[in-house]
Amino acid sequence: MLLLTVAAAATSRVRLNTSTLSTVYYEPPHLARQLTTLDVLGDGRLGVGAGLGWMKQEYGSARNADWQRRGKMLDDTLALLQAW
């Protein structure tokens, strides 16, 4: 996120894209705020690929999240990002 923010501030034409952003590492409201700020700073040049991760250990260590609910968590996060 920090590198994309620097790129947004230093350029005016470069697209700002993520390959796959593993949403498990972020609290949804914090992620929404970061992405919104980045998109505004980049004049709408932001593109985000969101994913749920593939490694079970990520969920326990990242947010103490339930591996069995990862699909629902991603759906909820995407809904919040869309509404934000």
Side-chain angles (χ1 to χ4, degrees), residues 59-70:
Y59 282 77
S61 63
R63 288 182 24 215
N64 201 21
D66 182 8
W67 171 255
Q68 300 300 323
R69 295 194 62 247
R70 66 189 183 279

Side-chain angles (χ1 to χ4, degrees), residues 22-28 57-66 73 77:
S22 186
T23 58
V24 71
Y25 291 111
Y26 301 91
E27 289 294 333
Q57 291 80 3
E58 287 179 321
Y59 282 77
S61 63
R63 288 182 24 215
N64 201 21
D66 182 8
M73 288 174 56
T77 298

Side-chain angles (χ1 to χ4, degrees), residues 47-61:
V48 176
L52 49 80
W54 62 270
M55 191 166 56
K56 188 174 185 175
Q57 291 80 3
E58 287 179 321
Y59 282 77
S61 63

Side-chain angles (χ1 to χ4, degrees), residues 2-84:
L2 181 58
L3 185 57
L4 287 173
T5 304
V6 170
T11 65
S12 60
R13 295 182 6 200
V14 175
R15 291 283 307 156
L16 308 165
N17 294 312
T18 67
S19 174
T20 303
L21 177 69
S22 186
T23 58
V24 71
Y25 291 111
Y26 301 91
E27 289 294 333
H30 187 164
L31 179 60
R33 183 66 182 159
Q34 283 184 319
L35 293 174
T36 300
T37 300
L38 182 53
D39 193 46
V40 169
L41 183 63
D43 290 328
R45 295 179 288 145
L46 179 64
V48 176
L52 49 80
W54 62 270
M55 191 166 56
K56 188 174 185 175
Q57 291 80 3
E58 287 179 321
Y59 282 77
S61 63
R63 288 182 24 215
N64 201 21
D66 182 8
W67 171 255
Q68 300 300 323
R69 295 194 62 247
R70 66 189 183 279
K72 175 70 171 135
M73 288 174 56
L74 180 60
D75 289 344
D76 292 346
T77 298
L78 293 176
L80 183 133
L81 293 176
Q82 189 69 30
W84 193 281

